[in-house]
mmCIF file of all heavy atoms in Angstrom:
data_model
loop_
_atom_site.group_PDB
_atom_site.id
_atom_site.type_symbol
_atom_site.label_atom_id
_atom_site.label_comp_id
_atom_site.label_asym_id
_atom_site.label_seq_id
_atom_site.Cartn_x
_atom_site.Cartn_y
_atom_site.Cartn_z
ATOM 1 N N VAL J 23 22.274 33.535 15.360
ATOM 2 C CA VAL J 23 23.447 33.289 14.523
ATOM 3 C C VAL J 23 23.242 33.985 13.175
ATOM 4 O O VAL J 23 22.364 33.606 12.403
ATOM 5 C CB VAL J 23 23.678 31.777 14.318
ATOM 6 C CG1 VAL J 23 24.870 31.532 13.416
ATOM 7 C CG2 VAL J 23 23.857 31.081 15.658
ATOM 8 N N THR J 24 24.052 35.024 12.929
ATOM 9 C CA THR J 24 23.988 35.753 11.660
ATOM 10 C C THR J 24 25.378 35.872 11.066
ATOM 11 O O THR J 24 26.387 35.637 11.745
ATOM 12 C CB THR J 24 23.409 37.169 11.850
ATOM 13 O OG1 THR J 24 24.305 37.921 12.671
ATOM 14 C CG2 THR J 24 22.022 37.137 12.460
ATOM 15 N N ASP J 25 25.417 36.241 9.817
ATOM 16 C CA ASP J 25 26.664 36.447 9.094
ATOM 17 C C ASP J 25 27.549 37.472 9.808
ATOM 18 O O ASP J 25 28.742 37.235 10.043
ATOM 19 C CB ASP J 25 26.328 36.898 7.670
ATOM 20 C CG ASP J 25 27.536 37.211 6.814
ATOM 21 O OD1 ASP J 25 28.660 36.823 7.193
ATOM 22 O OD2 ASP J 25 27.358 37.833 5.756
ATOM 23 N N ILE J 28 28.927 36.168 13.269
ATOM 24 C CA ILE J 28 30.007 35.193 13.093
ATOM 25 C C ILE J 28 31.286 35.913 12.688
ATOM 26 O O ILE J 28 32.366 35.655 13.231
ATOM 27 C CB ILE J 28 29.620 34.118 12.051
ATOM 28 C CG1 ILE J 28 28.497 33.226 12.589
ATOM 29 C CG2 ILE J 28 30.826 33.267 11.678
ATOM 30 C CD1 ILE J 28 27.956 32.229 11.581
ATOM 31 N N TRP J 43 32.444 32.137 4.077
ATOM 32 C CA TRP J 43 32.168 31.154 5.118
ATOM 33 C C TRP J 43 31.137 31.618 6.154
ATOM 34 O O TRP J 43 30.196 30.867 6.451
ATOM 35 C CB TRP J 43 33.448 30.713 5.822
ATOM 36 C CG TRP J 43 34.268 29.749 5.018
ATOM 37 C CD1 TRP J 43 35.501 29.985 4.480
ATOM 38 C CD2 TRP J 43 33.930 28.416 4.646
ATOM 39 N NE1 TRP J 43 35.944 28.876 3.805
ATOM 40 C CE2 TRP J 43 34.985 27.895 3.890
ATOM 41 C CE3 TRP J 43 32.824 27.607 4.878
ATOM 42 C CZ2 TRP J 43 34.975 26.614 3.374
ATOM 43 C CZ3 TRP J 43 32.819 26.323 4.361
ATOM 44 C CH2 TRP J 43 33.884 25.839 3.625
ATOM 45 N N PRO J 44 31.256 32.781 6.741
ATOM 46 C CA PRO J 44 30.260 33.189 7.743
ATOM 47 C C PRO J 44 28.830 33.223 7.188
ATOM 48 O O PRO J 44 27.889 32.767 7.839
ATOM 49 C CB PRO J 44 30.719 34.582 8.183
ATOM 50 C CG PRO J 44 32.185 34.583 7.920
ATOM 51 C CD PRO J 44 32.358 33.760 6.679
ATOM 52 N N GLY J 45 28.683 33.735 5.981
ATOM 53 C CA GLY J 45 27.357 33.791 5.356
ATOM 54 C C GLY J 45 26.812 32.405 5.065
ATOM 55 O O GLY J 45 25.615 32.136 5.229
ATOM 56 N N LEU J 46 27.686 31.511 4.648
ATOM 57 C CA LEU J 46 27.282 30.147 4.356
ATOM 58 C C LEU J 46 26.763 29.450 5.616
ATOM 59 O O LEU J 46 25.705 28.806 5.596
ATOM 60 C CB LEU J 46 28.473 29.378 3.778
ATOM 61 C CG LEU J 46 28.224 27.963 3.311
ATOM 62 C CD1 LEU J 46 27.343 27.975 2.069
ATOM 63 C CD2 LEU J 46 29.539 27.277 3.010
ATOM 64 N N PHE J 47 27.492 29.611 6.712
ATOM 65 C CA PHE J 47 27.062 28.994 7.966
ATOM 66 C C PHE J 47 25.791 29.647 8.499
ATOM 67 O O PHE J 47 24.915 28.962 9.028
ATOM 68 C CB PHE J 47 28.179 29.054 9.005
ATOM 69 C CG PHE J 47 29.115 27.888 8.900
ATOM 70 C CD1 PHE J 47 30.155 27.895 7.991
ATOM 71 C CD2 PHE J 47 28.929 26.776 9.690
ATOM 72 C CE1 PHE J 47 31.003 26.821 7.877
ATOM 73 C CE2 PHE J 47 29.777 25.683 9.587
ATOM 74 C CZ PHE J 47 30.819 25.709 8.675
ATOM 75 N N ALA J 48 25.684 30.955 8.382
ATOM 76 C CA ALA J 48 24.482 31.640 8.862
ATOM 77 C C ALA J 48 23.258 31.166 8.091
ATOM 78 O O ALA J 48 22.199 30.912 8.674
ATOM 79 C CB ALA J 48 24.658 33.147 8.735
ATOM 80 N N LYS J 49 23.390 31.015 6.759
ATOM 81 C CA LYS J 49 22.262 30.545 5.942
ATOM 82 C C LYS J 49 21.910 29.097 6.277
ATOM 83 O O LYS J 49 20.739 28.726 6.331
ATOM 84 C CB LYS J 49 22.609 30.639 4.450
ATOM 85 C CG LYS J 49 22.659 32.027 3.919
ATOM 86 C CD LYS J 49 21.388 32.338 3.228
ATOM 87 C CE LYS J 49 21.571 33.686 2.559
ATOM 88 N NZ LYS J 49 20.323 34.204 2.127
ATOM 89 N N ALA J 50 22.936 28.272 6.501
ATOM 90 C CA ALA J 50 22.694 26.862 6.799
ATOM 91 C C ALA J 50 21.970 26.690 8.126
ATOM 92 O O ALA J 50 21.176 25.769 8.294
ATOM 93 C CB ALA J 50 24.005 26.099 6.812
ATOM 94 N N LEU J 51 22.244 27.561 9.087
ATOM 95 C CA LEU J 51 21.648 27.439 10.417
ATOM 96 C C LEU J 51 20.388 28.274 10.597
ATOM 97 O O LEU J 51 19.728 28.177 11.629
ATOM 98 C CB LEU J 51 22.678 27.823 11.479
ATOM 99 C CG LEU J 51 23.893 26.901 11.545
ATOM 100 C CD1 LEU J 51 24.946 27.484 12.480
ATOM 101 C CD2 LEU J 51 23.503 25.510 11.979
ATOM 102 N N GLU J 52 20.053 29.064 9.588
ATOM 103 C CA GLU J 52 18.881 29.935 9.665
ATOM 104 C C GLU J 52 17.597 29.118 9.843
ATOM 105 O O GLU J 52 17.318 28.187 9.087
ATOM 106 C CB GLU J 52 18.780 30.760 8.372
ATOM 107 C CG GLU J 52 17.680 31.769 8.351
ATOM 108 C CD GLU J 52 17.691 32.579 7.057
ATOM 109 O OE1 GLU J 52 18.722 32.605 6.373
ATOM 110 O OE2 GLU J 52 16.659 33.166 6.762
ATOM 111 N N GLY J 53 16.853 29.450 10.892
ATOM 112 C CA GLY J 53 15.585 28.779 11.148
ATOM 113 C C GLY J 53 15.711 27.397 11.757
ATOM 114 O O GLY J 53 14.718 26.691 11.892
ATOM 115 N N ARG J 54 16.900 26.988 12.107
ATOM 116 C CA ARG J 54 17.114 25.667 12.708
ATOM 117 C C ARG J 54 17.353 25.800 14.200
ATOM 118 O O ARG J 54 17.917 26.785 14.664
ATOM 119 C CB ARG J 54 18.309 24.976 12.082
ATOM 120 C CG ARG J 54 18.122 24.728 10.613
ATOM 121 C CD ARG J 54 18.910 23.549 10.217
ATOM 122 N NE ARG J 54 18.679 23.252 8.822
ATOM 123 C CZ ARG J 54 18.440 22.042 8.385
ATOM 124 N NH1 ARG J 54 18.420 21.041 9.218
ATOM 125 N NH2 ARG J 54 18.238 21.834 7.122
#
Side-chain angles (χ1 to χ4, degrees):
V23 178
T24 64
D25 177 15
I28 292 174
W43 283 113
L46 184 69
F47 273 83
K49 288 261 187 193
L51 296 172
E52 184 178 341
R54 298 208 177 226

